Amino acid sequence: AYVCPDDWRLLGADLGVLAGYLELSGCAEACLVSEYCARPVCLTGGPLLVFAGVWRIKAINDAGGWESDTVVEDMDLSLRVYLKGWRSIYLHDVKCPNELPSTLSAYKTQQFRWLSGPMQIVRKSFANIWFSKEIGFLSKLNCYWFFCRYFVFAIVTMVALLASPIILWLDPWIWGFPTIYFLVSANMAVVVYFYFTIFSYVFLLFSVVLGYFKMWAMTSGILGLKKSKSWKVTLKFAANDNNSWLRSYHKPYTLELFLFAYYGLMLGFSIWYENWGLTAYNGVMSFAFLVVSFGDYFL
């Protein structure tokens, strides 16, 4: 049984802008919980956040026991149990407080584990899903899609990175049906999923900016790099009454600074070629990467 409460109790939302944003996005996600839990397979650590779980010892033993060869051992065990034919229920009325990462460095630590870990499972269990005799063909496809969506996210992130040079030098932007259709459909997707609010676009922008860091985490996991195998605890201190002395400030992030310079360069070329739509895009992106580069100081 997985604890997935309708009424989320998120601790530490008042510790900063980032923590407040995570609480807001978490509450929005809670609205989709009931629908998602009705699907054939739902693994912990995925798009649905599960706060706690109660396991049958027989199910754990049947799946091969608790294994520590990934940094998302709960997701790993959930998949192995599912492939053995066990099913789970979701408890929405059980209260279970959950503490938010309070700084950007803590959030990135958490996200690195959550993105590199599933890639470790892909390496470990890709064939096991296909050869499982306890689940049907459609359930196998569902399992693959669960992990495939990480790669879809990576492709979208790369499109955002390559959009500027492609439009400037390879395929100039020409207003017509294809480009208008692309803009309308992309914005409608945001509206439908997040509703039409300023927060929708801030959320999307923040996700794209952090996407490159998440791609690095995925690469580390799929290649089995040493960094992906180290367990680093996410710093949380919302339970402390006097926690100001616990906050540490990370030096400016190198990856985000590099991407700030990249989009700044693309901004210059956009102005040079008088592509004002691309100028706005690169201006927003470069500013966003600059903000995240120094995010530990004010987020």
Side-chain angles (χ1 to χ4, degrees), residues 275-293:
N275 189 321
W276 306 120
L278 203 58
T279 297
Y281 168 75
N282 286 310
V284 170
M285 292 296 287
S286 60
F287 175 75
F289 277 105
L290 180 62
V291 170
V292 173
S293 299

Side-chain angles (χ1 to χ4, degrees), residues 174-278:
I174 299 175
W175 287 103
F177 176 76
T179 52
I180 294 176
Y181 175 80
F182 168 75
L183 289 177
V184 172
S185 60
N187 282 276
M188 284 301 296
V190 175
V191 171
V192 169
Y193 190 76
F194 298 112
Y195 303 103
F196 188 73
T197 64
I198 296 297
F199 171 74
S200 306
Y201 291 93
V202 173
F203 179 91
L204 184 63
L205 182 62
F206 182 76
S207 298
V208 171
V209 170
L210 266 293
Y212 301 96
F213 172 78
K214 294 178 179 180
M215 281 186 59
W216 160 235
M218 289 176 58
T219 303
S220 298
I222 202 71
L223 296 180
L225 302 183
K226 182 178 179 180
K227 183 175 178 61
S228 68
K229 299 178 181 179
S230 61
W231 179 271
K232 188 176 180 181
V233 178
T234 304
L235 177 64
K236 299 175 183 178
F237 45 79
N240 294 274
D241 294 330
N242 183 15
N243 52 56
S244 59
W245 62 276
L246 289 171
R247 186 179 184 108
S248 59
Y249 295 95
H250 196 282
K251 63 182 180 181
Y253 295 102
T254 304
L255 175 61
E256 282 74 18
L257 276 178
F258 171 80
L259 289 166
F260 158 69
Y262 167 79
Y263 279 103
L265 181 63
M266 292 298 105
L267 173 63
F269 281 120
S270 301
I271 296 174
W272 178 266
Y273 288 105
E274 298 183 350
N275 189 321
W276 306 120
L278 203 58

Side-chain angles (χ1 to χ4, degrees), residues 65-81:
W66 187 269
E67 297 179 359
S68 58
D69 54 348
T70 74
V71 293
V72 285
E73 70 289 341
D74 52 350
M75 183 190 293
D76 175 46
L77 179 59
S78 298
L79 176 61
R80 288 188 286 114
V81 166

Side-chain angles (χ1 to χ4, degrees), residues 8-251:
W8 289 30
R9 296 180 59 192
L10 301 175
L11 305 178
D14 58 340
L15 293 179
V17 176
L18 177 62
Y21 151 79
L22 293 176
E23 181 194 37
L24 185 58
S25 61
C27 291
E29 182 179 344
C31 296
L32 304 176
V33 163
S34 296
E35 178 182 353
Y36 188 82
C37 286
R39 298 180 182 181
V41 58
C42 177
L43 309 180
T44 59
L48 171 64
L49 295 179
V50 177
F51 288 5
V54 179
W55 292 81
R56 290 184 181 273
I57 296 178
K58 187 178 186 306
I60 297 177
N61 293 335
D62 191 31
W66 187 269
E67 297 179 359
S68 58
D69 54 348
T70 74
V71 293
V72 285
E73 70 289 341
D74 52 350
M75 183 190 293
D76 175 46
L77 179 59
S78 298
L79 176 61
R80 288 188 286 114
V81 166
Y82 182 75
L83 296 180
K84 286 295 183 178
W86 290 86
R87 296 297 179 264
S88 58
I89 60 174
Y90 295 85
L91 307 178
H92 300 290
D93 56 344
V94 178
K95 305 301 181 182
C96 182
N98 185 53
E99 190 171 353
L100 294 166
S102 302
T103 65
L104 182 59
S105 59
Y107 177 71
K108 293 183 75 173
T109 296
Q110 180 194 70
Q111 292 300 303
F112 190 92
R113 188 172 68 249
W114 285 4
L115 271 294
S116 63
M119 297 303 100
Q120 293 173 333
I121 296 178
V122 169
R123 287 168 51 94
K124 174 182 178 179
S125 300
F126 189 88
N128 295 337
I129 295 173
W130 183 254
F131 291 109
S132 173
K133 298 180 180 180
E134 304 297 334
I135 62 175
F137 178 72
L138 292 180
S139 295
K140 292 176 182 180
L141 292 183
N142 201 356
C143 286
Y144 284 128
W145 169 246
F146 179 88
F147 295 102
C148 179
R149 62 190 177 82
Y150 289 96
F151 296 98
V152 172
F153 172 80
I155 292 173
V156 172
T157 304
M158 287 303 299
V159 169
L161 180 69
L162 299 176
S164 295
I166 289 175
I167 292 174
L168 286 173
W169 295 296
L170 297 180
D171 188 17
W173 186 280
I174 299 175
W175 287 103
F177 176 76
T179 52
I180 294 176
Y181 175 80
F182 168 75
L183 289 177
V184 172
S185 60
N187 282 276
M188 284 301 296
V190 175
V191 171
V192 169
Y193 190 76
F194 298 112
Y195 303 103
F196 188 73
T197 64
I198 296 297
F199 171 74
S200 306
Y201 291 93
V202 173
F203 179 91
L204 184 63
L205 182 62
F206 182 76
S207 298
V208 171
V209 170
L210 266 293
Y212 301 96
F213 172 78
K214 294 178 179 180
M215 281 186 59
W216 160 235
M218 289 176 58
T219 303
S220 298
I222 202 71
L223 296 180
L225 302 183
K226 182 178 179 180
K227 183 175 178 61
S228 68
K229 299 178 181 179
S230 61
W231 179 271
K232 188 176 180 181
V233 178
T234 304
L235 177 64
K236 299 175 183 178
F237 45 79
N240 294 274
D241 294 330
N242 183 15
N243 52 56
S244 59
W245 62 276
L246 289 171
R247 186 179 184 108
S248 59
Y249 295 95
H250 196 282
K251 63 182 180 181

